[in-house]
Amino acid sequence: MTPRAPAERPPVVLYLTWLVLIGAAVGGFLTGEFSITFVGVGTLLLSLVPIWLGERVGVTLPTAFVSAIAAFLCATLLLGEVGDFYERYWWWDVVLHGGSAIGFGLVGSLLMLMLVKGERLTAAPLTVAFFAFCFAVMIGAVWEIWEFTLDQVFGLNTQKSGLVDTMWDLIVDTLGALIGAGAGWAYLKGRQNGPLTRAIHAFVDKNRRLFGDD
C-alpha cells in the first residue's frame, strides 16, 4: 500500500491570496474604481470553484493545489490585467505560461496514474510522462488558438507581438509541460522528494479510491 503523505501545512498562500483579492475589491469600491472591485470579487469566486467542483465530483484537492490555482488566478486577472503587470514586466507572461504548463503536466500525469494505478491500463513511467507532456502542450496550443480567435473576431491584442509572442508562449509551455510530465515519471520511479512529486503524492493520498487503492 502506498504510504500516506505527511500532514499538510496551513494554507498560508491561499489565505494571503484571498486577503489580497478582498483588499483589492474593498479598495476599488472605496475609491470608486468599480472595475477593480468586479475583478477582485470575480477572481475570489473563481478561486472557490475548484473546491466546490471537487466536492461535487468527489475529488479532494490538496491545499497546495487550491493555493496554486488561487494564486495563478490572482496573478493573471488582478495583477496581470488590472495591475497591468503584463505590460510592466516582460517576464510576467512567461512565468504564468510556464506555471500553467507545469500544472497541466501534473494534471496529465494524474489522469494517466488513475488509469495505471486503477489497473485499467498498463503503461511504463515513460509512457505516462509522454501522455502528460502531450496533454499539457495541447492545452497550451488550444489557448493560443483562443487568443488568435479573440484578436481576429473582436479586434483585441492578446497576442501582443503576434507570431513572436505566440512562439515564445509555446516554447515556455513546452518547457513547463516537460517539467510537469517529468514529475509524473519521477513519482512512478519512486523519487518523491521534490515539491511536484510531493504534490502528486498528496493528491493520490487524498483520493485513493480513484487510483484503485482503498
Side-chain angles (χ1 to χ4, degrees), residues 176-190:
L178 189 62
I179 294 173
W185 174 86
Y187 175 83
L188 285 177
K189 297 294 286 186

Side-chain angles (χ1 to χ4, degrees), residues 20 71 74-96 160:
V20 169
C74 180
T76 186
L77 295 177
L78 182 65
L79 300 179
E81 298 295 342
V82 177
D84 206 26
F85 276 35
Y86 287 123
E87 296 296 333
R88 295 184 184 182
Y89 310 106
W90 65 267
W91 46 266
W92 194 253
D93 187 52
V94 174
V95 171
L96 294 183
K160 305 300 186 295

Side-chain angles (χ1 to χ4, degrees), residues 18-32:
W18 283 343
L19 185 62
V20 169
L21 293 172
I22 293 173
V26 173
F29 180 80
L30 294 177
T31 58

Side-chain angles (χ1 to χ4, degrees), residues 65-160:
F65 278 65
V66 179
S67 299
I69 293 171
F72 178 82
L73 289 172
C74 180
T76 186
L77 295 177
L78 182 65
L79 300 179
E81 298 295 342
V82 177
D84 206 26
F85 276 35
Y86 287 123
E87 296 296 333
R88 295 184 184 182
Y89 310 106
W90 65 267
W91 46 266
W92 194 253
D93 187 52
V94 174
V95 171
L96 294 183
H97 264 279
S100 62
I102 292 174
F104 283 119
L106 293 178
V107 171
S109 295
L110 288 169
L111 290 175
M112 279 296 288
L113 285 172
M114 288 180 192
L115 297 176
V116 174
K117 292 290 186 178
E119 298 181 351
R120 292 182 288 271
L121 177 70
T122 301
L126 188 60
T127 304
V128 173
F130 178 73
F131 172 85
F133 172 79
C134 292
F135 176 81
V137 172
M138 178 198 70
I139 295 296
V142 170
W143 179 257
E144 293 303 320
I145 293 173
W146 170 248
E147 286 189 342
F148 175 77
T149 302
L150 289 178
D151 291 351
Q152 294 299 309
V153 175
F154 299 104
L156 302 179
N157 186 32
T158 60
Q159 293 185 300
K160 305 300 186 295

Side-chain angles (χ1 to χ4, degrees), residues 42-66:
T43 305
L44 178 63
L45 294 176
L46 282 175
S47 71
L48 297 174
V49 169
I51 300 175
W52 175 83
L53 188 60
E55 293 176 350
R56 291 297 182 277
V57 300
V59 174
T60 303
L61 293 176
T63 297
F65 278 65
V66 179

Side-chain angles (χ1 to χ4, degrees), residues 151-173:
D151 291 351
Q152 294 299 309
V153 175
F154 299 104
L156 302 179
N157 186 32
T158 60
Q159 293 185 300
K160 305 300 186 295
S161 56
L163 178 61
V164 174
D165 178 78
T166 299
M167 290 310 301
W168 274 114
D169 285 347
L170 290 175
I171 290 171
V172 173
D173 288 341

